Amino acid sequence: MFRATFLQRFVLAGTLLAVAVAKNSGSSDQEDAMFSSVSIPIQHSFQTGSDAEFRERGFLSFKSLSQGRGSYRQTVDLSTDDSNLLKELALEGGLYRARVPTQLLSLQYSDDIGYVSSYVKACSLLESNMSDDITIHADQSGHVLGISILPSRGTCTKSSEEILAMEVLFFNTTVSLSLTVSGPVPETQAYLDKLEEEKMQKTANGQDNRSFFAKY
C-alpha cells in the first residue's frame, strides 16, 4: 500500500515538473526539458532481515543528469518510534539501510520496480548527528547502478546511556551524482588500414618483403 502511494506521488510530481519546464522552454525543446531536472525518491528501513519494511524518507534532486552536487528534501519527519528503532539498532550493532529505484528518468513505475540499496552502522549514523553523504552512481542513460551512504563519522564510541539520550529529529544530508564515463574504443579498422597502406608503399618502392628463408 505504501509503495503504490509513494510511487504515485513521485510520478505525479515528476510529471508536473517536466510539463512546467517544457512550457517555459518552448515546444522545440520539450525533450531536453524533460531531462533538465531529475528527482529520485529514497526509502529507508530500521528493521533487519530480508522482509524488512522500507518507508519514505524523502527525495534526492539534481538540476540535470550530469555529474555534480544535488539536494535532499526530507518529506517525512522522524517519529519517536523511528528514533527508538534507530537507537535499538545502534545498541545491537545493527545496520541502517536505504534504497532508491534503479531508474533516474522514468516517470512510470510498476509494483515490481527494482531497487539498489546500501547500509551503514546505525551507531555511526547516530554519532554523526544524522549527517550523511549520499552518492548516486548511474550511467549516461539514467540507470542507477548503486547508492553509497557515508556518515560524517565512521566510529561508534558512545555508551548506551549516551545513545539513548540523543535527539533524533531530521537528517542533515549532502547529495551527489556520479556518472560512469565510457572508455575510448580502439580504432581497429583504422590501424589495419594504416598497415595495409604501409605494405602497399613498400611494394611500390620495390622493397623485398620476403622472409630470410624465402629469399635463400
Side-chain angles (χ1 to χ4, degrees):
M1 187 68 178
F2 158 75
R3 175 182 294 180
T5 303
F6 183 40
L7 292 177
Q8 286 171 0
R9 288 168 53 190
F10 169 59
V11 169
L12 178 60
T15 303
L16 293 176
L17 176 62
V19 171
V21 175
K23 286 183 177 179
N24 293 332
S25 303
S27 58
S28 62
D29 298 328
Q30 285 186 3
E31 183 176 353
D32 292 338
M34 289 288 288
F35 302 100
S36 63
S37 182
V38 179
S39 291
I40 186 170
I42 181 171
Q43 302 175 358
H44 61 177
S45 177
F46 305 107
Q47 301 177 356
T48 59
S50 58
D51 57 345
E53 177 188 356
F54 283 82
R55 290 179 276 175
E56 179 180 351
R57 169 174 165 174
F59 284 90
L60 311 178
S61 300
F62 308 94
K63 291 184 178 180
S64 63
L65 187 59
S66 61
Q67 201 163 6
R69 285 289 179 181
S71 62
Y72 169 70
R73 179 168 63 91
Q74 185 167 328
T75 54
V76 178
D77 294 334
L78 291 171
S79 65
T80 302
D81 289 340
D82 292 336
S83 175
N84 291 335
L85 287 173
L86 185 58
K87 291 176 182 179
E88 288 178 11
L89 274 180
L91 294 175
E92 296 170 357
L95 302 174
Y96 165 83
R97 292 187 286 177
R99 69 180 188 180
V100 295
T102 55
Q103 180 57 260
L104 277 174
L105 303 178
S106 177
L107 295 179
Q108 294 182 351
Y109 289 102
S110 60
D111 291 338
D112 58 349
I113 182 175
Y115 289 89
V116 292
S117 61
S118 185
Y119 56 85
V120 295
K121 285 186 175 181
C123 55
S124 65
L125 183 60
L126 274 173
E127 295 194 22
S128 299
N129 294 318
M130 308 302 289
S131 296
D132 58 353
D133 190 346
I134 295 179
T135 302
I136 299 297
H137 304 273
D139 62 17
Q140 300 289 333
S141 301
H143 298 289
V144 179
L145 307 176
I147 173 178
S148 59
I149 305 176
L150 183 64
S152 60
R153 292 184 59 184
T155 57
C156 297
T157 58
K158 293 186 179 297
S159 65
S160 299
E161 292 76 14
E162 290 175 311
I163 290 178
L164 293 174
M166 296 183 69
E167 291 187 2
V168 181
L169 302 176
F170 53 85
F171 289 91
N172 179 23
T173 300
T174 57
V175 181
S176 60
L177 176 64
S178 177
L179 296 181
T180 58
V181 179
S182 300
V185 179
E187 299 181 1
T188 306
Q189 188 59 46
Y191 177 71
L192 294 177
D193 292 342
K194 182 179 179 181
L195 291 180
E196 185 64 24
E197 183 180 353
E198 291 178 352
K199 181 178 179 181
M200 293 177 63
Q201 288 179 351
K202 289 180 179 180
T203 303
N205 293 334
Q207 295 184 13
D208 192 346
N209 296 321
R210 292 178 298 167
S211 66
F212 175 83
F213 294 102
K215 291 180 181 179
Y216 304 99

